């Protein structure tokens, strides 16, 4: 299935896109709202004991006030409830940025307390540009940055997978930016890994050129991508764009996640990426969560995007 076919059949905020990533190859099919939960539950059961299962949520924008979503805390609560009713307990949940809308201490405290209700062993985060307004991310790091390096980047290993969490939302003019220190961190971090180690990279802004005119790209990402080329399977998961999008380049597959707050327009379909007002009955169809499963030894990641509707 080509990307064009995928978008035509699913719609920009259409049915869940179920993707199996094996050795860099993406095999996809469309799951509608009637079979998404069943698909996720089946994945969980098939994975068995010892499997890795985690969830990605993104762009909760706690503190946002506007007609695009009059209750972002309420929709984030629904997303949390959906995580808690997946039929399995995720090994961890990753929030891929824009936890808050204005990066105030009260908003950080609120989203931290809300995420504490997730039934999971660990919660990880990376910051979005809305999490570093006016203070270069200091308030974010005080709340979520314990044990991280530099401006908040880090890595960890579990179930045979190596995870890298990057920060590309601080030193930016228009595009995302990683910087030399962070690129050196990645170089040293992956140096001892064998080339058959599955790699998953989290960032807020895409690491591919999705739509640079709106800042939906990272200006120095190719330096990190070059370091990852030797690995047989690399999956990059980002937020920021508030919509599902998938791109494959050789051994690397990029997946943009949707939001729990409000939709943004398709690239080039509006003057700017501003919050879009949709009929109330359609809003939940534009919001959602992502679950990912991996069974050690199979070298396979199964990614399911679910709408809140």
């Amino acid at each position: 299935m080509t990307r064009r076919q995928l978008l035509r059949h699913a719609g920009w905020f259409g049915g869940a896109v179920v993707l199996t990533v094996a050795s860099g190859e993406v095999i996809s099919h469309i799951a509608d709202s009637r079979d998404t939960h069943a698909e996720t539950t089946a994945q969980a059961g098939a994975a068995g004991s010892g499997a890795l299962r985690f969830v990605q949520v993104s762009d909760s924008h706690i503190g946002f006030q506007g007609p695009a979503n009059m209750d972002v805390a309420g929709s984030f609560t629904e997303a949390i409830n959906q995580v808690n009713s997946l039929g399995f307990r995720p090994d961890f949940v990753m929030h891929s940025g824009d936890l808050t809308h204005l990066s105030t201490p009260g908003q950080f405290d609120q989203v931290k307390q809300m995420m504490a209700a997730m039934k999971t062993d660990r919660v990880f985060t990376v910051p979005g540009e809305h999490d570093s307004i006016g203070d270069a991310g200091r308030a974010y790091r005080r709340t979520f940055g314990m044990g991280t390096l530099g401006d908040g980047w880090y890595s960890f290993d579990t179930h045979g997978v190596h995870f890298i969490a990057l920060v590309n939302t601080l030193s930016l003019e228009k595009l995302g930016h990683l910087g030399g220190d962070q690129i050196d961190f990645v170089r040293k971090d992956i140096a001892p890994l064998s080339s058959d180690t599955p790699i998953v990279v989290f960032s807020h802004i895409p690491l591919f050129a999705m739509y640079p005119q709106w800042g939906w790209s990272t200006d120095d990402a190719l330096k990190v991508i070059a370091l990852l080329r030797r690995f047989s399977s690399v999956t990059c998961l980002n937020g920021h764009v508030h919509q599902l999008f998938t791109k494959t380049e050789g051994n690397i597959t990029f997946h943009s996640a949707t939001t729990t707050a409000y939709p943004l327009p398709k690239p080039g379909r509006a003057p700017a990426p501003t919050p879009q007002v949709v009929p109330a009955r359609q809003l939940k169809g534009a919001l959602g969560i992502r679950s990912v499963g991996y069974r050690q030894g199979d070298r396979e990641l199964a990614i399911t995007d679910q709408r809140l509707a």
Side-chain angles (χ1 to χ4, degrees):
M1 178 176 286
T2 67
R3 184 173 62 197
R4 180 175 296 177
Q5 290 170 324
L6 184 69
L7 294 177
R8 183 174 70 243
H9 286 285
W12 207 262
F13 300 112
V17 184
V18 182
L19 303 117
T20 300
V21 185
S23 300
E25 181 180 0
V26 178
I27 304 170
S28 58
H29 76 272
I30 306 303
D32 64 25
S33 59
R34 293 170 296 179
D35 63 13
T36 299
H37 181 75
E39 175 74 23
T40 304
T41 303
Q43 281 183 6
S49 60
L52 168 68
R53 293 165 295 189
F54 68 90
V55 170
Q56 179 189 5
V57 296
S58 198
D59 296 271
S60 51
H61 286 273
I62 296 302
F64 172 82
Q65 295 180 342
N69 187 342
M70 301 300 292
D71 185 13
V72 293
S75 58
F76 190 47
T77 296
E78 290 193 44
I80 292 170
N81 292 338
Q82 191 159 329
V83 171
N84 291 342
S85 56
L86 281 172
F88 61 91
R89 180 183 177 89
D91 293 284
F92 66 85
V93 174
M94 166 61 76
H95 192 307
S96 52
D98 281 353
L99 295 91
T100 70
H101 196 64
L102 296 174
S103 64
T104 66
Q107 290 172 6
F108 282 123
D109 288 343
Q110 182 180 0
V111 72
K112 184 176 182 178
Q113 290 177 19
M114 294 178 73
M115 289 195 296
M118 290 179 175
K119 297 177 181 178
T120 182
D121 295 332
R122 296 178 290 177
V123 175
F124 295 103
T125 64
V126 292
E129 77 280 5
H130 282 266
D131 299 318
S132 55
I133 296 174
D135 71 346
R138 287 187 292 273
Y140 164 83
R141 290 191 295 276
R142 281 195 298 269
T143 307
F144 295 102
M146 182 176 297
T148 63
L149 302 173
D151 289 326
W153 55 80
Y154 56 95
S155 67
F156 62 95
D157 296 273
T158 185
H159 295 73
V161 181
H162 186 69
F163 292 87
I164 306 172
L166 300 179
V167 178
N168 57 357
T169 56
L170 297 182
S171 302
L172 56 89
E173 293 295 328
K174 184 176 182 182
L175 301 180
H177 183 75
L178 296 166
D181 289 345
Q182 193 167 193
I183 294 169
D184 287 341
F185 158 73
V186 174
R187 180 181 294 107
K188 295 173 182 176
D189 179 65
I190 64 176
L193 301 177
S194 64
S195 59
D196 62 353
T197 303
I199 306 291
V200 177
V201 182
F202 292 105
S203 67
H204 181 64
I205 298 175
L207 296 177
F208 66 98
M210 180 175 175
Y211 199 67
Q213 297 92 318
W214 284 355
W216 291 1
S217 183
T218 301
D219 60 10
D220 52 356
L222 289 179
K223 296 179 180 179
V224 166
I225 298 304
L227 296 173
L228 298 173
R229 288 295 182 195
R230 72 177 179 90
F231 294 94
S232 58
S233 179
V234 180
T235 305
C236 298
L237 304 177
N238 66 268
H240 188 56
V241 302
H242 291 218
Q243 54 200 269
L244 301 178
F245 194 87
T246 297
K247 178 181 176 64
T248 301
E249 294 182 356
N251 64 318
I252 302 178
T253 304
F254 305 88
H255 296 289
S256 294
T258 190
T259 171
T260 69
Y262 51 80
L264 292 178
K266 304 175 187 180
R269 298 291 183 87
T274 55
Q276 298 294 287
V277 178
V278 298
R281 64 182 181 279
Q282 297 179 16
L283 178 59
K284 290 183 182 180
L287 312 179
I289 66 171
R290 166 176 289 160
S291 59
V292 183
Y294 171 74
R295 182 169 52 197
Q296 192 168 3
D298 284 358
R299 295 177 60 197
E300 179 180 284
L301 279 78
I303 297 177
T304 302
D305 289 296
Q306 274 182 257
R307 297 175 292 175
L308 290 191

